[in-house]
Amino acid sequence: MNRFYTYLVAVALVVLVASPLLAVNVVGTVKTVNADQNQFVLTDQNGRDWTIQVNQNTQILTNNNNQARLSDLRAGQSVNVNYELQNNQLVAQGINAQQAQQRGQQGQQTAQAQQGQQQQQAQQQQGQQAAQQEGREGRGQQAQHARGKIEKINADQHQFTLKDQNGRELTFQCGRDARVEVNGKEAKLGDLQQGQEVTVTYRQVLTDIRAGEKNEPADNAQQEKGRMVRGQIQQVEAAQNQIRLRDQNGKEHTFQISRDTQVQVNGRNATLADLQQGQQVTATRQMVANQIRTGEQNQNR
């Protein structure tokens, strides 16, 4: 009798082991496909590789629920696999590439949206930093005005030249936040035309400062254009990015310093803080336009 019960238990164990387990799911990315061996390798979300067999009963679906073959799967493709354990092998009952692709697309869209938000935040931060820098550069200096007719426009370089009422040619650089108005409406520098009468609000910025020995700028042509400034330093305000000079005629001028200003002392690169009161300097100035107005509205102001 005991032998009979032992036999029944042994048969039951064999049947249990030989029977397939309940189907389970795994989601991952196709690593390799071997259609000749009816198998593929999947890497799950934890980085573990699974070797999965495919038989004649395996249902493979791709986009729009279209039937497909194992050879249609591609390395890197996301899949959702429903499988069973048969004879110590993982045998796929169903492979759904569509749902996984949709999740992948959603993940990609989410990543792109996050990247776009990060780029937007970075641009906003850069804009705020630039605005703060512009504010520091413009603080403490009274705005100046010029009026005349446009002689030349170089929109690519953000520059334009006008001839003022005294016949002088003045070249302006447009600031980052420069506002252009044509007949009271907002416009762009490229909308202006040669010969138009304009009123410009601007500030003076030094782009090159040389103190001590070898204080002559390399480009002597700047002197001919009236952009050269020579004088003695009266005050340096590094925190405000400003410097006050007394020119050769005894007149004092306050200039702004931009982040791109090159400073040299005795032929060596330096900073604004390295300059000292009483030093003789030669500098190149640039007129930076904050506002440009033209048209009928300009005539009435």
Side-chain angles (χ1 to χ4, degrees), residues 81-95:
V81 181
N82 181 274
Y83 70 91
E84 292 179 348
L85 180 62
Q86 299 180 10
N87 299 323
N88 293 325
Q89 289 184 327
L90 304 181
V91 180
Q93 304 300 305
I95 303 173

Side-chain angles (χ1 to χ4, degrees), residues 24-250:
V24 292
N25 285 78
V26 61
V27 176
T29 303
V30 176
K31 184 175 182 179
T32 59
V33 177
N34 190 336
D36 295 334
Q37 298 294 326
N38 292 319
Q39 67 181 16
F40 68 99
V41 177
L42 174 147
T43 302
D44 66 14
Q45 297 172 336
N46 297 319
R48 185 174 57 177
D49 288 343
W50 301 58
T51 299
I52 300 177
Q53 295 293 135
V54 175
N55 58 26
Q56 66 272 15
N57 296 321
T58 302
Q59 185 179 31
I60 303 177
L61 298 177
T62 58
N63 291 335
N64 300 322
N65 290 324
N66 291 330
Q67 294 285 342
R69 296 174 297 179
L70 178 61
S71 58
D72 294 327
L73 299 181
R74 294 291 181 266
Q77 187 175 19
S78 297
V79 292
N80 187 344
V81 181
N82 181 274
Y83 70 91
E84 292 179 348
L85 180 62
Q86 299 180 10
N87 299 323
N88 293 325
Q89 289 184 327
L90 304 181
V91 180
Q93 304 300 305
I95 303 173
N96 195 329
Q98 180 184 23
Q99 293 180 358
Q101 284 179 345
Q102 289 176 348
R103 283 194 294 271
Q105 291 173 355
Q106 291 174 353
Q108 184 179 9
Q109 291 173 353
T110 301
Q112 290 176 347
Q114 292 176 347
Q115 184 179 8
Q117 291 177 353
Q118 291 174 353
Q119 291 177 347
Q120 185 177 7
Q121 290 174 354
Q123 291 174 352
Q124 290 176 349
Q125 185 176 6
Q126 291 175 355
Q128 290 174 355
Q129 292 175 349
Q132 291 173 355
Q133 180 70 15
E134 290 285 351
R136 288 193 295 268
E137 292 174 358
R139 192 181 298 128
Q141 183 185 22
Q142 187 176 2
Q144 302 183 55
H145 303 275
R147 188 163 185 168
K149 291 185 178 181
I150 294 178
E151 292 287 309
K152 183 170 59 176
I153 299 173
N154 189 339
D156 294 335
Q157 298 295 324
H158 307 289
Q159 291 181 347
F160 67 98
T161 302
L162 65 81
K163 181 176 289 187
D164 68 9
Q165 297 169 332
N166 297 321
R168 297 177 303 173
E169 288 191 354
L170 305 176
T171 298
F172 295 91
Q173 185 79 24
C174 284
R176 296 182 185 88
D177 299 325
R179 180 179 179 85
V180 181
E181 294 182 10
V182 176
N183 293 324
K185 296 182 179 179
E186 187 173 352
K188 298 179 295 185
L189 181 61
D191 297 327
L192 301 180
Q193 297 179 2
Q194 185 177 2
Q196 279 183 320
E197 185 86 17
V198 295
T199 298
V200 181
T201 303
Y202 68 95
R203 67 183 187 276
Q204 296 191 82
V205 176
L206 296 184
T207 60
D208 182 273
I209 305 173
R210 296 175 187 250
E213 300 176 357
K214 301 179 181 179
N215 66 353
E216 287 294 331
D219 187 4
N220 292 327
Q222 301 301 337
Q223 184 174 6
E224 300 177 0
K225 297 180 181 180
R227 296 178 58 185
M228 186 79 72
V229 179
R230 288 188 174 90
Q232 184 184 59
I233 297 177
Q234 300 300 300
Q235 186 179 16
V236 177
E237 297 183 9
Q240 301 296 327
N241 294 312
Q242 289 183 352
I243 185 172
R244 182 159 51 89
L245 302 180
R246 177 179 292 167
D247 65 19
Q248 296 170 326
N249 297 321

Side-chain angles (χ1 to χ4, degrees), residues 259-275:
R259 73 188 75 179
D260 299 322
T261 300
Q262 296 181 355
V263 180
Q264 289 191 355
V265 177
N266 295 326
R268 296 183 179 181
N269 291 334
T271 65
L272 180 62
D274 295 324
L275 300 179

